[in-house]
Amino acid sequence: MTIGKKMTDALNGQIKEEIFSAYLYFAMAADYESKDWPGVASWMKVQAQEEMGHAFKIYNWINERGGKAVFEAIDKPQESWDSALELFEGALKHEQHITACFYNLVKIAREEGDISTEIFLQWFVTEQVEEEANASEIVGKIKKVQDSQNGMYMLDKELSIRSAAPAQSDSQS
Ligand code: FEO
């Protein structure tokens, strides 16, 4: 069954959200690269890559269902953050917003009777639990060590270990 216009429009809106997410995490990486926190910057670059994977996944789904992806203008992200705590709290807040976007997409899929898109979206709903948990865990760690230069140095090292997840470039993975 070909995807409906309302569902396509909503998924196109989410492609924009995902590409904006990549843009935001790239901006976060750039800010912390310039402040000499390579581990934080590396973590953010991996996150940016994953966000592009999410955009591709939705793009592929629209195509597979006979729709057409349409690209909207991407907003300019914030350029600078005052502290690592502010940075990761910003990431957490952003992920909570993205979770709300997916809940809304599931609602639309249900209203439209688009069961296959509803099932497709379940991957993202689960992924969002992990995305929020990751950011929240780092916020917690920063709160513990933020007044300690040594602690922040160790945390930066720990964050540098994160590697890219396999590219989510098809709708099955
Ligand atoms: Fe694609 Fe971080 O949600």
Side-chain angles (χ1 to χ4, degrees), residues 14 18 21 25 47 50-51 54-55 94-95 98 102 124 127-128 131:
Q14 192 61 29
E18 298 296 335
S21 301
Y25 290 121
Q47 187 66 30
E50 287 196 4
E51 300 302 353
H54 298 167
H94 180 69
E95 289 305 333
I98 295 294
F102 279 110
F124 288 95
E127 172 75 2
Q128 280 311 118
E131 299 265 291

Side-chain angles (χ1 to χ4, degrees), residues 125-141:
V125 171
T126 307
E127 172 75 2
Q128 280 311 118
V129 174
E130 194 183 318
E131 299 265 291
E132 285 192 35
N134 287 344
S136 178
E137 187 187 341
I138 298 168
V139 165
K141 286 182 178 176

Side-chain angles (χ1 to χ4, degrees), residues 149-168:
Q149 274 294 100
N150 213 26
M152 272 309 296
Y153 177 79
M154 296 300 288
L155 183 56
D156 190 65
K157 279 256 178 267
E158 184 186 321
L159 292 176
S160 72
I161 292 165
R162 183 187 187 191
S163 58
Q168 303 291 345

Side-chain angles (χ1 to χ4, degrees), residues 60-124:
N60 286 339
W61 178 255
I62 293 170
N63 279 329
E64 239 175 73
R65 297 284 314 283
K68 183 184 174 188
V70 174
F71 295 88
E72 298 167 12
I74 307 291
D75 297 332
K76 185 183 189 312
Q78 188 175 335
E79 269 180 45
S80 177
W81 288 263
D82 288 337
S83 66
L85 182 60
E86 190 190 293
L87 187 81
F88 279 96
E89 281 179 339
L92 176 58
K93 195 168 164 223
H94 180 69
E95 289 305 333
Q96 288 165 341
H97 161 70
I98 295 294
T99 300
C101 290
F102 279 110
Y103 287 178
N104 191 46
L105 286 169
V106 169
K107 193 167 152 255
I108 293 169
R110 284 181 183 162
E111 283 166 4
E112 296 291 293
D114 189 339
I115 296 162
S116 47
T117 296
E118 185 183 340
I119 292 168
F120 165 73
L121 290 168
Q122 279 177 13
W123 183 90
F124 288 95

